[in-house]
Every structure is written in C-alpha cells, then in structure tokens.
Amino acid sequence: MFQRFRRTRLNKHLRSLVRETTVSVDDFIYPLFIRSGESIKTEVSSMPGVFQMSIDEILKECDELKKLGIYSIILFGIPDVKDSIGSDALCENGIIASSIRAIKDRHPDMFVVTDLCFCEYTDHGHCGIIDEVNETVNNDATLEISGQQAVIHAKAGADMIAPSGMMDGIIETLRSSLDGAGYENLPIMSYSTKFASGYYGPFRDVAESTPSFGDRASYQMDPANRREAINESVSDELQGADILMVKPALAYLDIVRDVKDNTSLPLAVYNVSGEYAMLKFAGMNDLIDYERVVMETMIAFKRAGADIIISYHAKEVAKMLQKKN
Ligand code: PBG
Ligand code: ZN
C-alpha cells in the first residue's frame, strides 16, 4: 500500500519518464589551451586527457568535437613571451586573437568563447596590472586594459567574452567598451562568483599561470562567504552580464542553488581542473567506477541549478551519451 515511490522505480522506462534532471551534450562548453608553434600536442601531467595544442592541432580537435556534437569551446592562450602587463593579450597578433581567427575561418559553426584575463600573459602570474605598494592587482588600471582586450577578442571574431579576473566593475567596463566599438550584440558570460580555491592547481600548471608572489585572495572570494557569493553574481547581473557563473562547482553546489534562486539569468558552473584531476586519478587507480561517477557529478550540477557546464569531461560525457542512445 505505501509503495508509491518504489512503484515508480521498478521499471527503467518509468524511471526515465519521471526523471527530473537530464544531461545533454548541448549543456557543455569544452576548454582548450592554445600555444604557438606547429604540431604541438602535449598532455598535461596533472590532467591526463587534457593537452596544450598549437593552432593546427586545435583545428583538428574542433573536427573531433563536432563529431561528438560539442560546438561550444572556451579558449585559453599561453603566449611565448610574458611581461608585466600581459602585452600578448592586447595585441591583434597575440595567441588568442590569432587562434580565434583561425578557428572561425575553418569552423564558422563553432561557438567560440574567450576567457578574458591577464594571468596567463603576465610574468608575475597575477590577473592584472600590479600595484607595487599593495603588492596585488590594481583594480582600475586592470579595467582599462580589459576593455582593450575585449575589443581585440571581438574583432578577431569571438562569439562570447568571459571575464575571469574578478575585478570590481568589470562587466560595466566591458559592456561599454564593446558597445562603443560596435559590438552591442556580443554576450558576456561573467565568472561572477569565483572563489579563491585550491582546486585551480592543475590549471595553473597547464596555463603556466601560478602567481610568482602572494595569492589571489584580494580579488577572488573567501570560500566561507555565502551572502557575498550571491551578491557578487547579482552585482554582475545589474552591470549587464548575460550569463552568470559559479566556480569551482563541486564544493559549491549550495552556492549554485543560491545564485540560481536569486537571478533569472542563465547560470554556468566551471567544473575546474582539480575536480577533473581527482576523478581522473581515482578512476585510473580503479578506486571508482569512473564513468558512473562522472555522470553522477554532471547530474548534480544540473540538479543544483546549472544550465551550462564548463568541463574537461565534456568529450567523455558526449561519448557516454552516444553509447546510451
Ligand atoms: C584565469 C582562470 C583560472 C581558471 C579559469 N580562468 C585560474 C585561476 O584563477 O587561477 C581555472 C580553471 C580550472 O582550474 O580549471 N583567471
Ligand atoms: Zn586570471
């Protein structure tokens, strides 16, 4: 008599009918790391399955992604030369601008998102221009060059800009720079709630962006703060962001739900490098059923309220979904 829940679980088709959350290949953005040169495809030791690639290899990778049904990518550039202000990021022939042009030329159907920050381009590894006195990033000086960087991405053909540096006022600044240059229709996905996290460790290996002194705690958020986490995202919505984000994802699913409940904008999660590495190495050591745990994790992001998942697992998930169908 009191078996109502059990009854809906007995049959696999009925389980599908009543399932509340689904994961689709359309939910994903796949990160790519690009450096200059030719025929370069170097696996990152801390992230098996993730590579630094030269542009020619990236173009081949896009073919493979499309076969899997993945059309959205986010680009990270690793320049040959780094300096104090990250000049490569401000140059029309820099690694990112060149990559965007090459990708859009060969794959106009790909949706190209660019990570907008300076930590991969500066010799000190911080996310902007340094204020020598406070030994951290000078917020307003960084805003000025961020506007230039956004226009460079836009001119090269980017489909969406994703500022990740957590500078105060960045969305307003980028919106007005883009509008001023005639890119009123270019969307901005803000890394709106980004925590100062140990989970970025492997990314800093692959992007070669570990700060040479200090840390990012003056501009990234304290993991202990929930109200501030909501406010950071709401503030970016008010400044004109089109999509919000919580990053990292897995240890912050409560925040994902909080932000979702406080905005009507689409919400992304960034399933970061350390989260990927944990599952990858556990799987490689047969400690977990890797595919099952990956899928369970993706479902958890969606259930918490994410509309978009940025993940190094995207290709694996696409393959799993293909197998299922
Ligand atoms: C750059 C940036 C970082 C990530 C995305 N953009 C690193 C950082 O803030 O140190 C992290 C991504 C990951 O760990 O996978 N600001
Ligand atoms: Zn940065």
Side-chain angles (χ1 to χ4, degrees):
M1 170 176 185
F2 295 114
Q3 294 201 19
R4 180 150 48 92
F5 292 113
R6 180 175 313 231
R7 279 196 295 269
T8 59
R9 287 170 196 154
L10 280 172
N11 177 282
K12 98 174 170 176
H13 298 298
L14 184 50
R15 279 200 300 277
S16 299
L17 285 170
V18 300
R19 187 161 296 133
E20 298 173 37
T21 310
T22 54
V23 171
S24 145
V25 67
D26 296 332
D27 301 331
F28 287 87
I29 301 179
Y30 187 61
L32 292 173
F33 298 95
I34 315 179
R35 63 182 326 148
S36 64
E38 232 174 287
S39 307
I40 297 173
K41 188 168 178 180
T42 318
E43 190 163 29
V44 182
S45 58
S46 54
M47 298 174 75
V50 174
F51 299 81
Q52 292 185 345
M53 285 179 257
S54 51
I55 293 178
D56 54 324
E57 293 293 329
I58 291 283
L59 296 178
K60 287 190 238 166
E61 180 74 10
C62 289
D63 283 319
E64 198 184 318
L65 289 170
K66 288 199 277 188
K67 270 184 215 139
L68 291 168
I70 299 171
Y71 283 81
S72 299
I73 51 180
I74 181 163
L75 307 183
F76 296 91
I78 307 155
D80 290 333
V81 183
K82 304 190 184 209
D83 60 19
S84 64
I85 63 161
S87 304
D88 190 90
L90 299 172
C91 165
E92 303 217 358
N93 293 313
I95 182 70
I96 275 296
S98 315
S99 307
I100 301 166
R101 279 193 301 270
I103 295 169
K104 290 305 287 188
D105 184 46
R106 173 76 172 273
H107 299 284
D109 51 348
M110 291 298 283
F111 185 75
V112 177
V113 186
T114 55
D115 182 87
L116 190 145
C117 200
F118 286 94
C119 51
E120 299 122 72
Y121 304 92
T122 51
D123 49 14
H124 45 73
H126 277 282
C127 299
I129 291 180
I130 295 296
D131 170 345
E132 304 290 345
V133 178
N134 296 313
E135 296 203 328
T136 181
V137 166
N138 179 327
N139 192 84
D140 291 1
T142 304
L143 289 184
E144 270 175 43
I145 56 171
S146 299
Q148 294 171 33
Q149 193 184 11
V151 173
I152 293 218
H153 291 188
K155 274 192 185 152
D159 295 303
M160 182 157 76
I161 309 281
S164 66
M166 284 290 277
M167 297 302 132
D168 288 336
I170 185 82
I171 302 305
E172 207 174 353
T173 301
L174 297 186
R175 193 66 271 160
S176 80
S177 304
L178 289 169
D179 291 357
Y183 297 101
E184 293 91 347
N185 289 322
L186 197 67
I188 298 175
M189 174 170 72
S190 176
Y191 285 65
S192 50
T193 296
K194 179 173 176 183
F195 292 92
S197 170
Y199 283 100
Y200 308 146
F203 174 93
R204 292 182 188 170
D205 284 350
V206 52
E208 300 170 7
S209 64
T210 306
S212 57
F213 61 89
D215 57 30
R216 304 206 209 287
S218 79
Y219 43 103
Q220 299 183 349
M221 278 199 50
D222 183 343
N225 291 357
R226 177 179 176 199
R227 287 190 309 263
E228 187 189 1
I230 300 170
N231 286 338
E232 283 276 8
S233 275
V234 169
S235 154
D236 283 3
E237 171 168 9
L238 295 175
Q239 288 178 48
D242 300 281
I243 299 177
L244 302 177
M245 190 193 302
V246 173
K247 174 184 170 195
L250 204 42
Y252 298 91
L253 292 184
D254 55 333
I255 306 295
V256 175
R257 173 49 59 193
D258 285 335
V259 172
K260 182 72 172 181
D261 288 345
N262 281 279
T263 182
S264 53
L265 293 183
L267 180 62
V269 289
Y270 200 133
N271 174 214
V272 300
S273 56
E275 301 171 31
Y276 174 83
M278 288 195 303
L279 298 196
K280 202 71 196 176
F281 285 104
M284 285 161 64
N285 287 293
D286 281 327
L287 300 172
I288 53 171
D289 176 342
Y290 179 72
E291 294 201 346
R292 180 173 173 181
V293 174
V294 167
M295 211 40 117
E296 191 175 328
T297 305
M298 301 302 135
I299 291 268
F301 296 151
K302 294 291 300 286
R303 194 190 60 235
D307 302 291
I308 298 170
I309 303 171
I310 305 170
S311 178
Y312 307 98
H313 294 293
K315 286 166 68 180
E316 299 164 342
V317 172
K319 283 176 199 159
M320 287 180 228
L321 292 171
Q322 280 180 350
K323 255 193 295 184
K324 216 180 90 187
N325 294 328

